[in-house]
Amino acid sequence: QVQLIESGGGLVQAGGSLRLSCAASGRTFNNYAMGWFRQAPGKEREFVATINRNAVITYYADSVKGRFTISRDNAKNTVYLQMNSLKPEDTAFYYCAAAVATTIRLDRESYAYWGQGTQVTVSS
């Protein structure tokens, strides 16, 4: 089992940047594919980015491709989401998630463990 704690959210102007972090407990962090999802008010939780266990493979939603970068540091049990060129439509609650998988996962159902989330607000 793994526990996930996100941090780094906040209020930023359009065009700005934020870096989200997700710290995982446990000694088997590198057994998990990791993902970031987000949920805006009144909308479904949607996939943002995913990274495989050894950080060789990443995948992004079209809406964030070229602006967001997912990375991980297995020595620190942490996954990151660097968000650049932020837009008001990026405003949402951002969640970190872990999947027991050898490669990337895009679907919510593959992720067994979720953090509590962190709010990102982008003002226009």
Side-chain angles (χ1 to χ4, degrees):
Q1 193 166 0
V2 62
Q3 292 184 325
L4 304 171
I5 301 175
E6 302 96 335
S7 61
L11 173 64
V12 64
Q13 288 188 331
S17 298
L18 283 174
R19 188 175 84 153
L20 305 183
S21 299
C22 173
S25 65
R27 294 175 290 179
T28 58
F29 178 69
N30 59 359
N31 285 348
Y32 297 93
M34 300 299 295
W36 286 97
F37 290 76
R38 67 187 182 186
Q39 187 167 16
K43 293 189 175 181
E44 295 282 322
R45 190 172 299 189
E46 65 175 5
F47 166 78
V48 174
T50 180
I51 188 167
N52 76 325
R53 296 189 301 181
N54 60 6
V56 171
I57 303 171
T58 59
Y59 192 85
Y60 300 90
D62 287 343
S63 58
V64 307
K65 201 172 295 182
R67 300 187 298 121
F68 290 11
T69 302
I70 188 171
S71 61
R72 67 189 294 166
D73 185 338
N74 286 345
K76 295 182 178 180
N77 283 10
T78 302
V79 63
Y80 305 96
L81 186 68
Q82 177 67 44
M83 305 185 296
N84 298 329
S85 302
L86 283 161
K87 304 175 181 179
E89 51 263 44
D90 294 318
T91 295
F93 223 75
Y94 282 72
Y95 297 90
C96 168
V100 180
T102 57
T103 189
I104 58 173
R105 289 288 184 266
L106 278 65
D107 59 302
R108 288 182 297 175
E109 292 72 23
S110 291
Y111 289 85
Y113 305 103
W114 293 82
Q116 294 297 308
T118 185
Q119 176 69 43
V120 171
T121 303
V122 184
S123 63
S124 57

